[in-house]
Amino acid sequence: MLDPRRGSEEDLIARLRAGEPAAFAGLVDDLQGRLLAFAGTFTTSPALAEDIVQETWLGVIRGLPAFEGRSSLRTWIFSILVRRARTLATRESRRATSPNGADPAASEWDMGRGRHGLWDSAPVPWGLEDPAALFQTHEALEVVRAAVAALPEGQRQAVLLRDVEDLPATDVCNILGITETNQRVLLHRGRSRIRRALDRYVREDGGAVRERAALGGAPGARSAFSTEDP
Amino acid sequence: MNAKNEEMGCIEAIDVMGIAAEDRLEPGLVAGFEEHLAECRSCATYYDQLRHTRQTLRSLPRDDRPSHPGRQALLDHFRKQFGGDAS
């Protein structure tokens, strides 16, 4: 099957530029859900998110003849989405969150300064003999999915592009128009929250993960205290 | 960062932890970072969990939507743009 991440991207681009409908259909099917998830970081309206993605695809069709492949196809498409989203979503000016997710609740950490009382409450090892159980367990994946969905938009955008999509860090900066430092802060805060959600799940509720990866270590590893982030 | 030839503390280690979890840590900082983790149980635990968090994020199942309302319109538009057959 067509998957833009496998096989030759050059070949896919050539087929798209040659107007091969199957190549375009494959690209749309592969990316639609992921673009929709990303568009959802710009608006609270599912209908507007759909519009943003549809506009993005129209932009892709218009831009293909001039696309030079200087960035990857996915990076180019996500960049188009950001431009469309910023145009369309500013009309829906109801949202009050700041674009980079600088919410006060997330300011427990500052680059280079740490947090006062660093490791007041040290993280407790999860004690999973096989940590792969985490990403093979439906329940744990759902915990992570919900934690991502709950992130402030700037953090969610950075985490979706850098971790979920696994795009190169420089591409993520370019797509979002942010500096490397800004990206690092957003990722740190976003990942901290997701780690905390996983921590809570593994130590309080992680039945399915425990079944899959026998919890080793001392009974202390099951402490119900939630650890804080630096 | 001026920690290249100095001992790394928790604050410096946490600063570079995300980058390290992405396997992008500057070569000059790797030894100091690893030394710190070997000595600091809290940072080592946190780093371990951060790496597993990222791995889990990368493993999230794709939300594929093969059929959505605008799909056919897009394919038609694509055909028209590229002058393909209208079948």
Side-chain angles (χ1 to χ4, degrees), chain A residues 2 25 43 56 59 85 92 107 112 126-127 132-133 140 169 173 210 212 230:
Chain A
L2 182 78
T43 174
T56 300
E92 179 219 38
S107 58
W126 288 339
C173 289
R210 281 204 200 100
R212 201 180 268 262

Side-chain angles (χ1 to χ4, degrees), chain B residues 15-36:
Chain B
D15 264 355
V16 299
M17 230 175 235
I19 295 288
E22 299 172 21
D23 294 322
R24 297 199 298 131
L25 192 57
E26 271 179 60
L29 295 176
V30 171
F33 181 67
E34 286 175 353
E35 262 169 48
H36 179 77

Side-chain angles (χ1 to χ4, degrees), chain B:
Chain B
M1 184 129 332
N2 58 1
K4 279 191 182 175
N5 298 311
E6 298 165 22
E7 264 184 42
M8 197 182 274
C10 287
I11 289 174
E12 292 85 3
I14 289 162
D15 264 355
V16 299
M17 230 175 235
I19 295 288
E22 299 172 21
D23 294 322
R24 297 199 298 131
L25 192 57
E26 271 179 60
L29 295 176
V30 171
F33 181 67
E34 286 175 353
E35 262 169 48
H36 179 77
L37 292 192
E39 288 161 9
C40 177
R41 198 175 141 80
S42 292
C43 280
T45 299
Y46 193 87
Y47 179 60
D48 220 34
Q49 294 178 352
L50 191 66
R51 275 178 40 244
H52 293 138
T53 299
R54 180 167 149 78
Q55 184 68 44
T56 309
L57 283 164
R58 290 171 69 183
S59 310
L60 281 181
R62 292 288 182 67
D63 183 12
D64 289 331
R65 311 209 175 187
S67 59
H68 62 276
R71 185 179 188 273
Q72 192 53 50
L74 283 177
L75 300 190
D76 291 345
H77 194 84
F78 181 82
R79 283 200 182 88
K80 214 179 295 170
Q81 169 90 17
F82 287 90
D85 59 281
S87 60

Side-chain angles (χ1 to χ4, degrees), chain A residues 1-4 12 16 20-36 53-54 56-58 60-61 64 73-74 77, chain B residues 62-78:
Chain A
M1 257 322 282
L2 182 78
D3 182 342
L12 174 65
L16 289 167
E20 199 180 298
F24 185 67
L27 187 68
V28 170
D29 292 345
D30 184 49
L31 289 182
Q32 181 70 18
R34 296 146 70 187
L35 292 178
L36 210 48
V53 174
Q54 196 73 357
T56 300
W57 285 122
L58 295 176
V60 167
I61 294 171
L64 264 176
L73 196 54
R74 258 190 321 152
I77 294 172
Chain B
R62 292 288 182 67
D63 183 12
D64 289 331
R65 311 209 175 187
S67 59
H68 62 276
R71 185 179 188 273
Q72 192 53 50
L74 283 177
L75 300 190
D76 291 345
H77 194 84
F78 181 82

